[in-house]
Amino acid sequence: MKMKNNNYPNKFRSFIIVIHQEYGCLLLKSTKKSEYGIFQLPGGRLDEKDLMINISEANNNNGRINPIPAENDFKIAAARELYEETGLDFRNRLYMLKPLKFDLPNKWRFFYLNITNYEIVNQNQNKNYYFNIFKEISQYFNSIIFKTKNNNIDVNNIIIKLSKEHESFLFEKDLVKASQLVKSHSKGVCSKALLLFQQNYQIYTNY
């Protein structure tokens, strides 16, 4: 049985640095009016449904809730926001969201997600998950044997299911430039996160 903490402050934020190894970092352009345009990382505030806890857990803690949500709560929120904003669905594959340890305010959490053409092409298809995994592995080995490139799509032809909050998207290969594009969003914290990610890119993308 679950309960909601109605007094829980909605101050925690969770974002994903989505990287396509060929195209770069996924950025979303907000519909909010701005002279230069407001770009964002996928993500946002945690909702109450992301912060639901077991009654037994609350009772064991005298009804008090830990002021910092569990890491899995942040993951759930990040995956939900990514799905709502882009249609890319990793809600049942939270293990693919890799936590990033940055020296930033604790109420902000960031995750790294590596995506391929497979996720983009199949985002609108409701197929069996395990069949898709088998298909992807088969295509990978075929590409090695026959030296072909799978799901080769032009970045200009990519279709992402944007929410009403966003009018367009882009992939930026230069992470420093990406950090500049998101600087006016989220008090500049996402911009700092991208710079920290860029400084340790090889470490974060190889674990």
Side-chain angles (χ1 to χ4, degrees):
M1 185 176 181
K2 300 282 187 177
M3 67 175 286
K4 289 185 179 180
N5 177 18
N6 294 323
N7 296 321
Y8 204 97
N10 188 14
K11 63 181 181 180
F12 299 99
R13 294 170 174 80
S14 188
F15 293 90
I16 305 180
I17 297 178
V18 180
I19 299 292
H20 188 292
Q21 296 301 325
E22 183 178 355
Y23 304 141
C25 180
L26 174 62
L27 302 178
L28 308 176
K29 187 176 182 181
S30 173
T31 54
K32 294 179 181 179
K33 300 301 180 182
S34 172
E35 181 179 357
Y36 302 104
I38 299 176
F39 285 90
Q40 308 169 351
L41 292 177
R45 294 177 182 271
L46 274 68
D47 286 346
E48 285 186 0
K49 59 186 176 183
D50 302 320
L51 301 172
M52 292 174 70
I53 64 168
N54 291 318
I55 288 180
S56 59
E57 293 176 355
N59 291 336
N60 290 336
N61 198 27
N62 296 321
R64 293 175 297 179
I65 300 174
N66 192 320
I68 302 296
E71 182 174 283
N72 200 56
D73 296 333
F74 284 98
K75 272 192 178 184
I76 291 171
R80 172 185 53 75
E81 287 280 347
L82 179 66
Y83 177 69
E84 292 174 356
E85 294 175 345
T86 68
L88 296 173
D89 195 355
F90 288 84
R91 293 172 296 174
N92 293 323
R93 292 178 285 170
L94 295 179
Y95 64 90
M96 293 186 66
L97 276 63
K98 308 299 183 183
L100 299 170
K101 304 300 182 182
F102 294 145
D103 185 17
L104 293 171
N106 206 25
K107 67 180 182 180
W108 300 74
R109 296 295 175 86
F110 292 86
F111 298 90
Y112 160 65
L113 173 64
N114 177 63
I115 64 170
T116 64
N117 290 344
Y118 174 79
E119 281 85 20
I120 297 172
V121 170
N122 290 280
Q123 65 169 316
N124 297 322
Q125 299 180 17
N126 185 21
K127 296 181 179 179
N128 181 273
Y129 171 70
Y130 294 103
F131 173 76
N132 285 339
I133 294 296
F134 174 76
K135 180 180 177 182
E136 185 174 13
I137 293 173
S138 298
Q139 290 177 339
Y140 171 73
F141 283 109
N142 282 336
S143 69
I144 295 177
I145 296 172
F146 299 107
K147 297 182 179 180
T148 59
K149 194 171 184 179
N150 294 317
N151 295 328
N152 186 19
I153 56 178
D154 187 342
V155 66
N156 295 317
N157 294 326
I158 290 177
I159 298 176
I160 285 182
K161 295 168 58 178
L162 294 172
S163 68
K164 294 181 180 179
E165 298 176 354
H166 303 97
E167 63 181 44
S168 63
F169 70 93
L170 61 82
F171 284 93
E172 177 54 59
K173 290 185 177 181
D174 186 340
L175 291 176
V176 174
K177 183 177 180 180
S179 73
Q180 295 170 346
L181 289 172
V182 302
K183 195 170 185 178
S184 62
H185 181 251
S186 298
K187 303 177 182 179
V189 177
C190 289
S191 177
K192 294 177 182 177
L194 275 172
L195 287 176
L196 292 170
F197 180 76
Q198 185 268 340
Q199 292 169 10
N200 297 280
Y201 182 81
Q202 294 300 326
I203 296 175
Y204 289 133
T205 56
N206 288 318
Y207 84 106

